[in-house]
Every structure is written in structure tokens, then in C-alpha cells.
Amino acid sequence: MARHVARAVVCSGGRGCPMDERKLRQIWVDADACPRVIKEILYRAAERVGVRVTLVANRVLQVPRSPHIRAFRVSAGFDVADAHIVREVRPDDLVVTADIPLAAEIVAKGCLALSPRGELYTESNIRERLNMRDFMDCLRGCGVETGGPGSIRQSDRQAFANQLDRLLTKN
């Protein structure tokens, strides 16, 4: 079976920037709130292409035995896992997170950030996501019931898997 070479196509500049190709070094997962089905997709990808997947959480995680997959436990506390990821991530890394402020920090460092629903956060869309998050937070603070994100649907899983595959393989 042919092995895929891990590559990521990344826009390193602003609007209309040229695309450059870089080797994807590692995938970091903000694992406390990451759905199990998304973790399973990541486990299969790690084995398929040999990229390291590191799950960071403030609780013990059960992960498959693999030289490509590891779990890192941080102490309990607000944004401790996020701070660890921001500290450790490098420009050729991908971070899987639904946390918009964490995604913004990751993008600002020149790294890739992907939501569990398959949305690739970029310099051109992260500001809008932050503004919407802040607006919803403000509504909740005023007592408006906004509800939370819905559960992960099959279409979300497929969008995530497709986007991850694009990042891991040559186009």
C-alpha cells in the first residue's frame, strides 16, 4: 500500500497571498471537548500517514497504543490545555479545536487550526469568528438563551475528514 507524504497547503499572508507548501509536523488536539468520533478519525490518519497526534487535556485520556499517538495531561484550570498547546505548537503544526480564541492564537503564530466540524481557520476568517463568539457571549451575559452548538452530524464528520485529508496529502 502506498504511503502518503504529509503535506499542508498554507496561506502565510493576507488576502490574495501565494500558497506555499510545508510538511505537516504534528497534529495537536484540544482534547477536553473534542468529540470521540473526531479523535477516531485522527487516530486512523496518524497510522495511515505516520504523523504524530498529541491530545492535550486536563484529564486522563485513553488512546490507542501507537508510536504516532500520545496523550498529554495538564493540570486542571481555566485554559491550561490551551496555554500548553500555544506554548508547544510550531509553524508546521495543525491544531484541532473548537475554541475560537485558541484558534486565533494558533493562526497568529502561523500555524493551522481546524475545527472538529471541518472549518479551517485562517487569517481572513478568524476575526469574524471571534466577533461572533464575543457577540453570542454578550447575549448570554444579558440573559438571552442562545443554545450551544449542536451535536456532530455525519456531514460534519465528513467535512472534517475531507479537510484533514487535504492537509495530509498532496493535491
Side-chain angles (χ1 to χ4, degrees):
M1 186 154 134
R3 216 179 170 127
H4 295 283
V5 176
R7 296 261 180 215
V9 178
V10 183
C11 182
S12 57
R15 291 168 52 172
C17 69
M19 300 300 273
D20 52 42
E21 200 169 282
R22 298 187 285 186
K23 183 172 177 14
L24 189 60
R25 186 180 76 92
Q26 184 168 187
I27 299 173
W28 294 88
V29 183
D30 182 11
D32 284 319
C34 187
R36 182 177 49 185
V37 67
I38 298 304
K39 292 175 195 168
E40 290 168 359
I41 292 169
L42 289 163
Y43 299 153
R44 287 191 301 273
E47 292 303 314
R48 187 185 69 200
V49 301
V51 68
R52 172 169 277 185
V53 172
T54 302
L55 295 94
V56 180
N58 60 17
R59 59 187 166 82
V60 175
L61 296 172
Q62 299 298 319
V63 297
R65 291 173 91 82
S66 167
H68 307 295
I69 302 167
R70 68 181 179 143
F72 188 86
R73 183 176 180 204
V74 295
S75 60
F78 185 69
D79 289 340
V80 176
D82 297 358
H84 178 80
I85 292 170
V86 169
R87 201 172 38 251
E88 297 296 323
V89 73
R90 299 292 174 257
D92 293 334
D93 291 351
L94 167 66
V95 175
V96 176
T97 185
D99 185 313
I100 303 298
L102 172 58
E105 286 188 72
I106 297 306
V107 169
K109 284 188 80 167
C111 304
L112 295 168
L114 179 63
S115 82
R117 296 180 187 274
E119 180 180 12
L120 186 63
Y121 300 112
T122 65
E123 289 178 0
S124 62
N125 71 14
I126 195 66
R127 176 66 41 209
E128 177 185 333
R129 302 303 177 273
L130 276 170
N131 288 340
M132 181 55 76
R133 177 201 172 273
D134 292 344
F135 175 69
M136 298 302 280
D137 192 46
C138 182
L139 287 177
R140 284 188 293 274
C142 294
V144 175
E145 184 64 40
T146 61
S151 59
I152 295 284
R153 299 180 316 238
Q154 179 61 35
S155 60
D156 297 323
R157 286 180 260 184
Q158 189 64 50
F160 178 83
N162 289 342
Q163 187 65 263
L164 181 63
D165 193 51
R166 280 191 286 276
L167 294 172
L168 291 172
T169 59
K170 277 186 169 179
N171 291 335

